[in-house]
Amino acid sequence: MVLKRVFIAWILAVGLVGCGGGGSDTTSALDSETPTLSASTNLVDSEAQATAASNFNPATDSALSYLNYLRAYVQLPAYVENATLLKSANAHLDYMLHHNALGHIEDPQNALYFTGKTPQNRTISAGYNWPGVSENISYNQSNFTGLIDELMTAVYHRMSLLDFQKDEIGIAYKESAVPNKDDDPVWSALVTNAGVSALETLCQAGGDGRIGYLCDNNARISADRYQSELDALAQKAADMVVWPAPNSQVLPTFYEETPDPLPDCKVSGNPVSVQVNPSKLADYTLLPDTFRLIEKVTGTEIVLNRVLSNVTDQPDAEAAHWKTTEKEWFAAFPQQRLKWQTLYEASFDYLYGGQTMTKTWQFLTPSLDGEMVTLYHNAQYDYHLGQTLYIYVPPENCTVNANKWTSNYEYDTQQTPELTVEVVDPQTLKLVARKVSQLSLTFTQTDLSGQEYMKTLKLNIR
């Protein structure tokens, strides 16, 4: 039978990194020993799934309401929108989209939409005088929930969004009017600028008349007043925040962020982080070496790539300020990406009041609205036309580059198939096929050494 080969190509964003793919000219041969796959077992027990579904139901009418839901879920106060911070965030968003430039730094030579080289320059330009504003950026997703979810997989950005000591924010989100996802490095983006309302009010009022912290308008705030305002915010929050939160549903994967906590890897599991309320540092001592993560149903222990904390050196020099005695936190990175539709249990020990305590909780990865096959090697699958099928190709190692993940398919030339393909992430494809009698898909991954890994799935049409 003569087969026709067609290439699937796309531009895909994951986390804080834009990704692309193209076709391959080679395929892996299928032989008589190729195993036939069945749909994967759902590792989420129904009771846990029902609990998560009832407890974790984020509001999605705006980026602010979505982020505030996540904060409220872990007992952090809601952010209040600040018009000046929103102005600053929108200005940087327009700059990035217009110039296809991603990052916190603007180039003054790109005069259009330029409002300041650094986040602090831009917030000053917008009229915000407290200099401690934080900025987070995510890009290339078609909705703000996806962009925030990606930020929440990136541990430094996550801990910034879950800050105990900020209370006002501007969140700007925009997608290009006619995005060219094949050519535009940045076709959508989200920018957050967060600050402290009481300190900004003091700066605007000229400070408190004592030598201390300097505002951008040269007003001064005494060290005691400065700290008391931060403590007042922290005292409204929970003693400790963990993420993924208990009974929440989170993405299975972390790719990359800047600064990069895993510079030697391109893909790993969604990290688990723990943050102690800064006003409670005298009460709690975390014991990161006791951290454990398991698949709840099977009891399989998850191997960790790395555990970072506020007392360890950070792998990226740009994150050096996260090594500090002013905060207490740790983050554990699974060596491999987590599985879809799986229930996990995390636990660790800590000291409180001179006693060793244990915190244990569970969280989920998303269930998919169709059957899923996991492709560890060349295989066959009995497929019914019109069936929604998810094909998951696990990364060969943590250095597999999401920018170089490609696929192609072959089909009988005597027919014109109807094929709907959606990229869920760089290792997961959603497929619906009609009007075809034979279909093979080949997936190619490339790691940082240039090594290619190819796997082929033959669909036996029923």
Side-chain angles (χ1 to χ4, degrees):
M1 177 178 292
V2 178
L3 295 178
K4 182 177 181 180
R5 178 173 296 155
V6 176
F7 301 118
I8 304 171
W10 52 79
I11 294 292
L12 173 69
V14 288
L16 307 178
V17 181
C19 305
S24 169
D25 290 329
T26 59
T27 59
S28 300
L30 287 167
D31 57 35
S32 59
E33 299 301 318
T34 301
T36 299
L37 298 176
S38 59
S40 61
T41 303
N42 190 324
L43 296 179
V44 179
D45 64 55
S46 57
E47 182 178 353
Q49 195 170 27
T51 299
S54 60
N55 290 348
F56 192 73
N57 186 25
T60 57
D61 58 322
S62 70
L64 180 58
S65 67
Y66 184 63
L67 178 57
N68 275 339
Y69 177 90
L70 302 183
R71 285 177 60 86
Y73 195 79
V74 292
Q75 299 179 54
L76 291 175
Y79 280 125
V80 174
E81 185 173 77
N82 176 279
T84 307
L85 292 174
L86 181 60
K87 177 183 176 182
S88 174
N90 268 310
H92 188 49
L93 176 66
D94 288 337
Y95 174 91
M96 290 193 301
L97 289 176
H98 181 79
H99 295 290
N100 276 316
L102 182 77
H104 298 291
I105 303 301
E106 292 186 8
D107 185 348
Q109 294 185 9
N110 297 327
L112 190 60
Y113 296 112
F114 176 83
T115 55
K117 182 177 180 180
T118 68
Q120 184 177 351
N121 296 148
R122 294 190 291 273
T123 53
I124 294 171
S125 175
Y128 200 87
N129 288 290
W130 181 63
V133 171
S134 61
E135 181 172 270
N136 292 290
I137 299 169
S138 186
Y139 69 109
N140 288 8
Q141 292 273 3
S142 58
N143 55 68
F144 57 77
T145 56
L147 290 168
I148 291 175
D149 286 343
E150 294 290 358
L151 284 170
M152 293 297 288
T153 72
V155 69
Y156 295 130
H157 292 75
R158 169 197 300 172
M159 292 191 294
S160 176
L161 293 177
L162 299 180
D163 197 320
F164 292 83
Q165 295 176 308
K166 288 189 173 66
D167 65 346
E168 59 183 2
I169 199 168
I171 305 181
Y173 164 73
K174 187 181 293 185
E175 182 174 341
S176 296
V178 185
N180 187 342
K181 299 179 184 181
D182 293 327
D183 297 328
D184 290 349
V186 183
W187 52 266
S188 78
L190 179 140
V191 179
T192 74
N193 286 160
V196 178
S197 59
L199 295 178
E200 170 61 9
T201 298
L202 274 172
C203 286
Q204 295 283 7
D208 62 2
R210 297 168 59 189
I211 295 175
Y213 290 91
L214 185 66
C215 301
D216 288 322
N217 60 357
N218 294 321
R220 293 184 180 275
I221 302 173
S222 65
D224 290 345
R225 180 66 180 276
Y226 186 94
Q227 192 59 49
S228 69
E229 296 295 353
L230 295 181
D231 287 344
L233 290 179
Q235 288 163 7
K236 298 177 182 178
D239 285 6
M240 186 185 299
V241 165
V242 298
W243 196 272
N247 297 319
S248 64
Q249 181 174 280
V250 297
L251 297 173
T253 316
F254 163 63
Y255 289 100
E256 295 180 278
E257 69 175 313
T258 302
D260 194 347
L262 291 178
D264 298 329
C265 287
K266 292 291 185 180
V267 56
S268 65
N270 197 333
V272 178
S273 63
V274 182
Q275 298 165 261
V276 173
N277 188 318
S279 68
K280 303 289 184 179
L281 295 185
D283 301 328
Y284 290 86
T285 300
L286 301 178
L287 302 174
D289 290 344
T290 66
F291 177 80
R292 187 169 181 248
L293 182 65
I294 64 170
E295 289 182 12
K296 178 61 177 176
V297 174
T298 66
T300 303
E301 184 154 2
I302 306 304
V303 178
L304 301 177
N305 185 312
R306 176 175 291 153
V307 178
L308 294 179
S309 76
N310 59 290
V311 300
T312 60
D313 290 334
Q314 306 305 298
D316 190 330
E318 292 186 23
H321 63 284
W322 284 95
K323 183 179 181 181
T324 175
T325 59
E326 296 178 357
K327 297 180 180 180
E328 187 172 3
W329 62 271
F330 77 82
F333 295 82
Q335 192 174 78
Q336 299 178 346
R337 58 176 286 165
L338 304 180
K339 297 178 180 178
W340 291 103
Q341 52 198 44
T342 300
L343 177 66
Y344 289 91
E345 182 175 275
S347 64
F348 68 94
D349 294 343
Y350 61 95
L351 300 179
Y352 179 76
Q355 296 185 345
T356 300
M357 316 285 283
T358 300
K359 182 171 182 62
T360 302
W361 75 102
Q362 298 175 5
F363 62 90
L364 298 159
T365 53
S367 294
L368 304 173
D369 60 347
E371 293 190 0
M372 184 178 71
V373 297
T374 302
L375 196 63
Y376 290 105
H377 39 63
N378 293 345
Q380 302 182 55
Y381 179 78
D382 293 336
Y383 178 81
H384 297 273
L385 289 179
Q387 173 187 356
T388 298
L389 182 66
Y390 288 86
I391 305 166
Y392 167 49
V393 188
E396 291 291 331
N397 56 61
C398 83
T399 73
V400 165
N401 192 341
N403 289 292
K404 296 184 178 180
W405 183 82
T406 66
S407 67
N408 63 62
Y409 63 91
E410 295 178 329
Y411 64 90
D412 183 353
T413 58
Q414 296 178 3
Q415 296 175 300
T416 301
E418 293 180 1
L419 193 64
T420 302
V421 179
E422 178 183 337
V423 181
V424 180
D425 68 29
Q427 289 86 37
T428 312
L429 202 67
K430 179 180 180 181
L431 171 76
V432 179
R434 297 178 178 86
K435 295 183 180 179
V436 63
S437 60
Q438 185 172 341
L439 185 63
S440 295
L441 298 102
T442 300
F443 303 88
T444 304
Q445 298 178 355
T446 306
D447 66 19
L448 291 181
S449 71
Q451 176 68 44
E452 286 191 348
Y453 304 91
M454 301 181 67
K455 298 183 181 69
T456 297
L457 177 65
K458 179 181 178 182
L459 300 182
N460 300 319
I461 308 298
R462 302 301 187 192

